[in-house]
Amino acid sequence: MAAELILALDYGGTKHTVGVIGVGERQWRAQRRIFAPAGADAAYDLETTLAAARALLAGRQPVAIGASFGGPTDHARGVVVRSDHVPGWERVPLQALLEGAFAAPAGIDNDANAGALGEHRYGAGQGVAHLLYVTVSTGVGGGWILNGAVWRGADGLAGEIGHTVVDPAGALCGCGKRGCVERLAAGPFMAGDAAVMLAAEPGRGAILRRLAGQQPLSGQLLSEAAAQGDDVAREILQRGAAALGLGIGNAANLMNPQRVVLGGGVTKAGELWWETVRQVAQATLVAGMRLAVVPAGLGDDAPLWGAVALAEARLGR
Amino acid sequence: MAAELILALDYGGTKHTVGVIGVGERQWRAQRRIFAPAGADAAYDLETTLAAARALLAGRQPVAIGASFGGPTDHARGVVVRSDHVPGWERVPLQALLEGAFAAPAGIDNDANAGALGEHRYGAGQGVAHLLYVTVSTGVGGGWILNGAVWRGADGLAGEIGHTVVDPAGALCGCGKRGCVERLAAGPFMAGDAAVMLAAEPGRGAILRRLAGQQPLSGQLLSEAAAQGDDVAREILQRGAAALGLGIGNAANLMNPQRVVLGGGVTKAGELWWETVRQVAQATLVAGMRLAVVPAGLGDDAPLWGAVALAEARLGR
C-alpha cells in the first residue's frame, strides 16, 4: 500500500517552501523552494505555492495539510490575519483555501508556533513537555509548548517575547515601547545601532568598517566582525544577547519550562553571543529553577516540520 | 444526611487561619485565626493549627483537607520546602501529616497558587479559563490558572512575576538582581525607598513626615500620604505601580491570559496606584491583545478558599 501523504507549506516573508512527506516519515519525498520577487502579493504567493504542491503531489491526494505563516494567524478559524511584509494577506482564509484545493483537512499557525511544534516533535525539543521556542532573526518571535501542545492564549497572541520590555530606558521600538527584546536583539536593529555607533565614534570598529566596505551593515556582518574581535560588533551583539537572556530568564520565572530552543539567523552569531544569552538567562532565574538553553535542531526548517505536525494534528495524531 | 466537611488551612508568615466548610458550600461553618508569637516555629504552627482544626471539627471527620502555605512547596510530593519567615519548616511533609492526623486525603500548595485557585473558583476570576493572580504585599508573588487549572511548571516554581526584571538599572533586590518587580513594587521596599528619599530631600514629603511622626514608614503610610497628595509618597507609589504594570504587561505578552487579579495590602493604595498599574500594563500589550486587570474578590481569604479547592481536587471535583 502506498503511504499516506502530508502536504506541508511554509510561507516566509520572501521565501516559501512546499514539501511532501509520508505520514510518520522523517525524510521528505519532495520539496520545492519559491523565492518571491519584489512586488509579489498574496495572490502570487498562493498561486505559486499551490502550483508547486500540485507538481510535487503528481496527481496524488494528501490525507492532511499543514501550513506555517510568517505573520499573525487565527489558528482556530484557520485565517491569516495579515503579513507585515507582503500585501494582500489581510484576513485570507488559508485553511479553507488549502482544504478546497486538495480536498483534505488543513491546519495553519504562525511561524513561531509552528517552529515550536516542529522543534518539539522533530528537533531539539524532543522528549520535553514544556518549552519556549524563540526565533531571533529580522524580528524576535516566540512559541510555547506546554504539556506537549502549543499554547496560544486567549486571543491567540501568546509567545510575544520579542515585545516584552527588558529596558524601559532603552531604544524606541517600532511598537512604540522602549527596550523591547526585539528592538535590542533582532539583526536589523543591531546592525542599525552599530551603524550609528560607527558614525559617532570614528576611532572604533575598524574590523567592522573593513568587512562592510560600501555595503550596508547586517546582523551577519556583525557576527563576522565580532568573531574577528571587532569592539563595536562585540558590544552591540553582547547587548542584544543580554537583552534576550533577560527576556528568556523572565519568561522562565513566569512559566518554568524545561527548555528554551533558539533558532533564527542571529543564533549563528558565535560563542560570545551564546555565552552571554545563557549567562544572563541563568542569572535571572529564581533559586532552584533549572533551564536548558539550546540551539534549534531543525534550523530554518522548523516551521515546515511544524506544518507537518499541524497536518498530523488534523488526523488526530 | 449531614454534609461532608472540608478542612481548609492557610499558613501565613505570622497569621494562620483554619476553617471548616461543607462540600459545595460558600459559607464557613467555623473559622479560627491564630496569631503566632515572635519566636514561634513550625512545631508551634502545626500544634496550634491542628488543635484548632480538631476543635472546629468537634469529633467529625473531614472528607478532604487543603492547605495553603506562605512559602515554597512541592505540590506533587505534598511537602513544604521552607519558610522564609519561620524556622523548622524545611522539608516538612505537611500533606502526609494532615492525612495522618485526620484520616482524609489532603492537598497543599503555596499561597500564590492557592490564591489563584481561590480567586478562580470563588472570587474575581470566576468564568475565566486563563488568569494570572498577583499578590502585592510584603513581597510580590504570582500564580497562574491556565485552562482552569493551576500551572506550576517543570520544577513547581512558575508564577514568579516578583522576580522578573523590569529595570536592569534599578535598585538591588534581595535575590541579587536589579530592578525586580518585587524590589520596586512591594510595600516594605517602597517604604524603605521613601525613607531614603525623605532623608536626602529635606524639602519634600511634608505630609508623609507628619503622618509618620516617630513610627517607621510602611506601605500603608505611603498610601495614606499619597491620598492626601504627598509628593514623595506619590512618586514612590507610582514607580512601584509602573514596575508592576510593566511586569504584568510582559507576562500577558508571553501568555495572553484573559484576566489579571491583584490582591494583597498594596492594592489598597488608592486610585493613582490602580490607574498607573492599568495604564502601563495596557501600554505594554502587543496590538490586538485584550486584558482586564481587576482587584481580588476574596481579599486576604483567597488562599484559604484556594485550600478548599485543593481539598475538592482530592475528591475529584
Side-chain angles (χ1 to χ4, degrees):
Chain A
M1 196 182 85
E4 299 175 314
L5 297 183
I6 281 173
L7 172 62
L9 303 104
D10 174 19
Y11 291 90
T14 55
K15 189 181 75 178
H16 312 311
T17 309
V18 182
V20 171
I21 194 168
V23 172
E25 292 178 357
R26 299 290 177 101
Q27 293 266 343
W28 294 94
R29 287 168 174 246
Q31 211 183 76
R32 189 171 293 180
R33 287 177 201 277
I34 293 154
F35 296 88
D41 60 3
Y44 175 92
D45 290 345
L46 279 167
E47 208 170 289
T48 53
T49 53
L50 295 195
R54 285 195 192 89
L56 296 183
L57 286 163
R60 293 192 56 192
Q61 194 185 330
V63 292
I65 308 161
S68 165
F69 188 83
T73 62
D74 183 335
H75 167 80
R77 291 192 179 77
V79 173
V80 170
V81 174
R82 68 172 183 277
S83 163
D84 291 328
H85 310 285
V86 183
W89 275 109
E90 290 73 25
R91 308 290 318 161
V92 171
L94 181 59
Q95 179 176 324
L97 287 171
L98 293 169
E99 291 182 341
F102 299 99
I108 75 165
D109 211 331
N110 68 59
D111 54 350
N113 287 345
L117 206 44
E119 288 291 337
H120 177 249
R121 290 280 187 89
Y122 305 107
Q126 289 178 81
V128 166
H130 323 304
L131 69 80
L132 175 63
Y133 168 78
V134 184
T135 169
V136 193
S137 56
T138 55
V140 174
W144 289 104
I145 300 288
L146 302 182
N147 286 330
V150 175
W151 176 263
R152 296 183 177 86
D155 305 299
L157 292 170
E160 284 279 13
I161 187 172
H163 292 288
T164 60
V165 172
V166 290
D167 183 5
L172 194 63
C173 183
C175 75
K177 303 198 296 280
R178 287 189 174 275
C180 292
V181 169
E182 176 167 295
R183 174 60 186 83
L184 296 163
F189 282 120
M190 289 195 295
D193 289 346
V196 169
M197 199 177 279
L198 289 185
E201 307 184 45
R204 299 183 63 195
I207 299 168
L208 182 57
R209 288 174 205 273
R210 180 170 47 73
L211 282 178
Q214 295 309 308
Q215 58 184 315
L217 290 185
S218 66
Q220 203 179 334
L221 269 174
L222 281 191
S223 303
E224 290 171 32
Q228 295 181 31
D230 184 78
D231 55 343
V232 166
R234 287 174 64 94
E235 180 176 333
I236 298 278
L237 273 174
Q238 260 186 304
R239 195 184 64 184
L244 179 65
L246 195 52
I248 288 171
N250 281 348
N253 285 345
L254 285 163
M255 294 305 298
N256 194 10
Q258 293 146 295
R259 202 173 284 180
V260 173
V261 178
L262 301 182
V266 175
T267 64
K268 296 160 192 156
E271 206 41 52
L272 173 72
W273 185 89
W274 273 97
E275 265 168 31
T276 306
V277 172
R278 286 188 167 123
Q279 186 269 319
V280 175
Q282 295 294 339
T284 303
L285 300 183
V286 295
M289 191 178 278
R290 291 164 302 173
L291 182 74
V293 181
V294 305
L298 305 170
D300 297 341
D301 282 342
L304 191 68
W305 282 103
V308 174
L310 286 163
E312 287 181 342
R314 293 305 312 269
L315 298 172
R317 295 176 206 188
Chain B
M1 197 185 82
E4 298 176 314
L5 297 184
I6 281 173
L7 172 61
L9 303 104
D10 174 19
Y11 291 91
T14 55
K15 188 181 77 177
H16 312 312
T17 309
V18 182
V20 171
I21 195 168
V23 172
E25 291 178 357
R26 299 291 177 103
Q27 293 267 341
W28 294 94
R29 290 172 173 241
Q31 212 183 77
R32 190 171 292 181
R33 285 177 204 276
I34 293 154
F35 296 89
D41 60 4
Y44 174 92
D45 290 346
L46 279 167
E47 208 170 291
T48 53
T49 53
L50 295 195
R54 286 196 191 91
L56 296 182
L57 286 163
R60 292 191 58 191
Q61 194 184 331
V63 292
I65 308 161
S68 166
F69 188 84
T73 62
D74 182 335
H75 167 79
R77 292 193 178 77
V79 172
V80 170
V81 174
R82 69 172 182 278
S83 164
D84 290 328
H85 309 286
V86 183
W89 275 108
E90 291 74 24
R91 307 295 314 164
V92 170
L94 181 59
Q95 180 176 325
L97 286 172
L98 293 169
E99 292 183 340
F102 298 100
I108 75 166
D109 212 329
N110 69 59
D111 54 349
N113 286 346
L117 205 45
E119 288 291 337
H120 178 249
R121 291 280 186 88
Y122 306 107
Q126 289 178 81
V128 166
H130 323 305
L131 69 82
L132 174 63
Y133 168 77
V134 184
T135 170
V136 193
S137 57
T138 53
V140 174
W144 289 103
I145 300 289
L146 301 182
N147 286 331
V150 174
W151 175 264
R152 296 183 178 87
D155 304 299
L157 293 170
E160 285 279 13
I161 187 173
H163 292 288
T164 60
V165 173
V166 290
D167 183 4
L172 194 64
C173 183
C175 74
K177 304 196 297 277
R178 287 188 175 277
C180 292
V181 169
E182 175 167 293
R183 175 59 187 84
L184 296 164
F189 281 120
M190 289 195 295
D193 289 347
V196 168
M197 198 176 278
L198 289 186
E201 305 184 45
R204 298 182 65 196
I207 299 168
L208 182 56
R209 288 174 205 273
R210 180 170 47 73
L211 281 178
Q214 295 310 308
Q215 56 184 316
L217 290 183
S218 66
Q220 203 180 333
L221 269 174
L222 282 190
S223 303
E224 289 171 33
Q228 295 182 30
D230 184 79
D231 55 343
V232 166
R234 287 173 66 93
E235 181 177 333
I236 298 279
L237 274 174
Q238 260 186 303
R239 195 185 65 185
L244 179 64
L246 195 52
I248 288 170
N250 281 348
N253 285 346
L254 285 162
M255 293 305 298
N256 193 10
Q258 293 146 296
R259 201 172 286 179
V260 173
V261 178
L262 300 182
V266 175
T267 64
K268 295 158 192 159
E271 207 40 54
L272 173 72
W273 186 89
W274 273 97
E275 268 169 29
T276 306
V277 172
R278 286 188 168 122
Q279 186 269 319
V280 175
Q282 295 295 338
T284 304
L285 300 183
V286 296
M289 191 177 280
R290 292 164 301 175
L291 182 74
V293 181
V294 305
L298 305 170
D300 297 340
D301 282 343
L304 190 68
W305 282 101
V308 174
L310 286 164
E312 287 180 342
R314 291 307 309 269
L315 298 171
R317 297 177 202 185

